[in-house]
Amino acid sequence: MTRVPPPLTGARREGSAGLIAAIAIAAVLFVAVAAIFAFALLRPAGDPVAIDTTTSPTAASPSPSASAPESPAPAPVPTPTPTPTPGPPTSPAAQVCDGAPTLLTVWAHPDDDIIFANPTISDAIAAGQCVRTVFLTAGDAGKGMEYVQARELGILRAYNAMREQEGLWHADDITLDTGLHIRRLSPDGDPRISVAYVRLPDGNITDGGFAATGFATLSKLIDGSIGSLAPVDGGPAITRDQLVASLRELGDAVRPSATLTHIPRGSAFAPGDHPDHSVVGTVVREALSSDAAVAPGIRYFVGYPSENLPRNLDGAVLDRKVDTYRIYTQQDKVIRCADRANCLKTRKFGEWLQRSYPKTEAELQLG
């Protein structure tokens, strides 16, 4: 026979209920303590813990001491973080030269540098200097971008010859703070050298421009007969003031120890030169000659009229110059020459190659 326990009395039922409640509360507390202990063990040792050190506006004021009140300790004064003095803006065209002197060269057309300013440029490269070359016009001769790109490739190969190293070049499309767009190339692994193309229209030997580019010229821009001039590659047009400011920005970006460019207008050596040459020399002089750190190093190279001056290059120096030029011409179908002899026989060019005449500001004989 199964025994049935007698029913609990009221007192026994209340006592049992209290015991059960106490056991439940103890179980909850045990679980909570265990969870906290587990969190402490599992949290990474370096886990940051945020501590609010600001004074809460609702915090209770401390009770004063029953004896003489003490003066409160002064709150620590935070040391202000010094605000750096802003320096001049860094141009997107800025280039570091690692302590070596920098030669800035600015020309009208791709090839003006290797015809009129060598051996100065090749000597600088051989000496480990940084060379930053800029061509303001595309030298397009109204023939379109295919001819422009061929000439640009020829220049890169000529610079490979001058640095005595073959290799690939990488291109950067840069917009200066002035808004001028340039395409700048540097040899992979050789940051000493850069060549920049602005690609404004070639003005033609007549200074009248070409139909393909709307007869627009640098001369017209500088003289004010047109308000802006657009590059042949479709880039944004620029004003005269932008062009001058852009050259100043480039000068500030590379801080040259020497600058090479064309003879400017007004010089006794300007008549008979290509109009683009004279305009570029004029713009460079306007932009950079007022900079006391740059002006003493500017040299203006005689262009076409140099054929009327005595030959002053020969021997190994001339051989290297002609070979650099020959390498360039393999990409320029207009003036291609196969070897040294043929290059020197090329009308006009052969005479220019055998001369190089830099002029200081004092030697320009400005009228």
Side-chain angles (χ1 to χ4, degrees):
M1 180 172 67
T2 304
R3 291 182 176 273
V4 177
L8 296 173
T9 63
R12 291 176 66 192
R13 281 198 295 266
E14 288 175 3
S16 297
L19 178 61
I20 292 170
I23 292 171
I25 292 171
V28 170
L29 290 174
F30 177 79
V31 171
V33 170
I36 293 171
F37 181 72
F39 176 78
L41 290 177
L42 295 174
R43 184 176 64 85
D47 205 22
V49 178
I51 301 174
D52 186 1
T53 59
T54 60
T55 304
S56 170
T58 59
S61 298
S63 299
S65 170
S67 57
E70 297 180 359
S71 300
V77 179
T79 302
T81 301
T83 303
T85 303
T90 301
S91 168
Q95 291 180 293
V96 178
C97 196
D98 293 333
T102 295
L103 178 66
L104 173 64
T105 83
V106 186
W107 310 100
H109 316 106
D111 78 357
D112 290 334
D113 52 338
I114 57 177
I115 293 174
F116 302 112
N118 259 347
T120 304
I121 296 174
S122 59
D123 286 347
I125 294 174
Q129 296 184 26
C130 288
V131 174
R132 313 301 186 193
T133 292
V134 181
F135 298 104
L136 293 188
T137 86
D140 55 283
K143 299 179 184 294
M145 282 303 298
E146 182 178 353
Y147 181 59
V148 170
Q149 291 168 343
R151 295 190 72 174
E152 291 177 354
L153 175 59
I155 286 297
L156 301 187
R157 290 182 174 175
Y159 274 75
N160 277 345
M162 287 190 286
R163 67 191 188 97
E164 298 182 339
Q165 185 175 348
E166 294 296 325
L168 299 177
W169 293 56
H170 58 271
D172 295 302
D173 290 308
I174 298 170
T175 300
L176 302 185
D177 291 336
T178 61
L180 177 71
H181 176 267
I182 63 174
R183 185 168 181 78
R184 189 177 71 195
L185 296 100
S186 292
D188 289 351
D190 191 356
R192 298 176 307 137
I193 310 298
S194 67
V195 176
Y197 301 110
V198 180
R199 293 175 169 173
L200 297 173
D202 188 332
N204 201 344
I205 188 64
T206 65
D207 208 20
F210 295 92
T213 50
F215 303 104
T217 70
L218 266 174
S219 290
K220 292 176 181 178
L221 180 70
I222 298 305
D223 292 337
S225 58
I226 58 175
S228 62
L229 188 62
V232 300
D233 61 5
I238 61 165
T239 65
R240 182 192 194 282
D241 289 346
Q242 275 181 294
L243 181 59
V244 173
S246 297
L247 290 173
R248 287 199 183 109
E249 182 176 339
L250 288 170
D252 289 339
V254 305
R255 302 312 299 165
S257 55
T259 302
L260 315 182
T261 190
H262 297 286
I263 293 287
R265 289 174 171 181
S267 167
F269 302 99
D273 206 354
H274 194 298
D276 285 349
H277 296 177
S278 301
V279 172
V280 170
T282 299
V283 174
V284 171
R285 181 171 180 264
E286 178 178 344
L288 300 182
S289 65
S290 60
D291 187 330
V294 175
I298 301 177
R299 295 295 180 269
Y300 305 91
F301 282 75
V302 181
Y304 290 176
S306 66
E307 67 174 316
N308 301 316
L309 300 173
R311 294 175 180 173
N312 60 356
L313 299 177
D314 58 16
V317 170
L318 179 60
D319 290 345
R320 286 193 297 271
K321 178 177 180 177
V322 173
D323 196 52
T324 298
Y325 172 74
R326 178 193 61 78
I327 290 169
Y328 159 77
T329 69
Q330 303 315 298
Q331 305 303 316
D332 189 337
K333 60 185 178 183
V334 174
I335 57 168
R336 189 167 297 164
C337 56
D339 53 35
R340 180 186 188 279
N342 279 287
C343 290
L344 290 176
K345 289 178 182 176
T346 304
R347 182 176 177 270
K348 301 285 188 180
F349 290 87
E351 294 300 322
W352 298 329
L353 287 170
Q354 296 177 76
R355 298 160 171 81
S356 186
Y357 279 93
K359 299 293 180 182
T360 65
E361 174 78 16
E363 295 171 328
L364 289 176
Q365 300 179 38
L366 295 168

